[in-house]
Amino acid sequence: MSSQNDTIFFDKNWKTTSKKTATYYRIKPYKIKTKDATGYKIKNTDSLFVINDYYLSNNKIQFKGYSKDFDAKYLIGKAEWFSENGNLETREFNYREEKNKVFKVPELPIFYIDYKIANKSLLTGGLEFCLNCKSENKLFLGTGFGITNSYNGNYYGLPDIHLSYSKELLFIKTGSSHKNAYAIGGVTFLNIFDLGIGYSFPYNNEKIPVYKGFTASFTLRLTNNEKAYQKFNMIQ
């Protein structure tokens, strides 16, 4: 047993007190290397406090673990709690840094069909990825391929890449092909379908332009990923 000067006493609510009114006591925390305590390094944390708490009534261990601070408010690594009859509860406070984690893989892809009309019709299909599906507001990154008719009766293909952001009932969308860029805004129904208007800007003035002018659009999304859709809230 350490001397009383190296012992901190607590009442039943874990407030510091005198030995006379104490329920628990803690041997004065000391520091060890973080890697020795947890088995791995933690950024900006070279050492941790070793925490050992005991029941005053029988001197049995009540808690043992590691903390970033002297008062044991920020536990790190393996922590163990013991009841008076010896039952054990364990929890791991894991602060291990994941190496080489640069980009998080988006949620499951979404199949989309998009129809636009300006100086001609454009039908596009492809895949979208939900970049922040855990948020109520959604951001989609999409890529696809579209078919448009021309003045001479032939059909032309246009690749498509776009970003679409929705918040509540509204959305904005911007995208591009190798021939044009466009910006569209409008209303969305739970991100299942979007109705919008905007403008398509051609990159050059061809004799037979591919696609340009004021644009109306309709987009339909199909996916098994329910997180991609907004929730329907009924007002009572």
Side-chain angles (χ1 to χ4, degrees), residues 28-142:
K28 185 178 179 180
Y30 62 93
K31 281 190 171 184
I32 65 171
K33 293 290 185 181
T34 299
K35 191 172 182 180
D36 292 337
T38 63
Y40 55 87
K41 293 182 178 180
I42 300 175
K43 187 176 181 181
N44 300 325
T45 305
D46 296 326
S47 60
L48 298 173
F49 287 97
V50 178
I51 309 296
N52 289 303
D53 295 332
Y54 299 86
Y55 293 100
L56 184 61
S57 60
N58 55 20
N59 295 319
K60 289 184 177 180
I61 189 74
Q62 187 273 336
F63 171 83
K64 61 180 180 179
Y66 306 98
S67 175
K68 192 174 182 180
D69 65 308
F70 183 86
D71 296 322
K73 293 182 179 179
Y74 301 97
L75 300 179
I76 293 178
K78 185 179 181 180
E80 296 178 312
W81 288 266
F82 300 84
S83 66
E84 288 192 83
N85 58 12
N87 291 330
L88 173 64
E89 180 182 344
T90 303
R91 182 176 174 186
E92 183 74 29
F93 295 84
N94 191 350
Y95 289 85
R96 187 190 301 270
E97 293 184 2
E98 296 185 30
K99 296 182 179 179
N100 302 322
K101 186 177 179 180
V102 179
F103 179 72
K104 183 179 179 181
V105 178
E107 300 283 350
L108 293 173
I110 303 154
F111 179 71
Y112 78 93
I113 300 174
D114 181 86
Y115 177 77
K116 297 186 185 72
I117 185 166
N119 60 325
K120 61 192 71 179
S121 299
L122 174 62
L123 181 64
T124 304
L127 297 176
E128 285 185 326
F129 297 88
C130 188
L131 301 183
N132 63 336
C133 269
K134 292 183 179 179
S135 172
E136 191 67 25
N137 304 325
K138 311 297 182 183
L139 178 64
F140 300 102
L141 171 65

Side-chain angles (χ1 to χ4, degrees), residues 112-227:
Y112 78 93
I113 300 174
D114 181 86
Y115 177 77
K116 297 186 185 72
I117 185 166
N119 60 325
K120 61 192 71 179
S121 299
L122 174 62
L123 181 64
T124 304
L127 297 176
E128 285 185 326
F129 297 88
C130 188
L131 301 183
N132 63 336
C133 269
K134 292 183 179 179
S135 172
E136 191 67 25
N137 304 325
K138 311 297 182 183
L139 178 64
F140 300 102
L141 171 65
T143 181
F145 193 81
I147 301 294
T148 182
N149 61 310
S150 185
Y151 297 115
N152 58 9
N154 295 322
Y155 290 86
Y156 294 88
L158 285 178
D160 176 74
I161 185 168
H162 66 264
L163 281 171
S164 180
Y165 177 78
S166 64
K167 182 176 182 180
E168 296 178 350
L169 297 177
L170 302 177
F171 81 94
I172 56 173
K173 180 178 180 180
T174 181
S176 178
S177 71
H178 66 298
K179 294 287 187 178
N180 70 301
Y182 60 88
I184 292 171
V187 296
T188 181
F189 179 73
L190 308 179
N191 290 328
I192 299 173
F193 62 82
D194 302 341
L195 292 173
I197 56 173
Y199 196 87
S200 176
F201 307 86
Y203 288 139
N204 54 56
N205 292 318
E206 297 178 347
K207 184 177 180 181
I208 303 177
V210 175
Y211 193 83
K212 70 175 183 178
F214 287 100
T215 302
S217 73
F218 172 81
T219 303
L220 175 66
R221 293 185 179 89
L222 301 172
T223 180
N224 290 327
N225 181 9
E226 295 182 358
K227 294 181 181 179

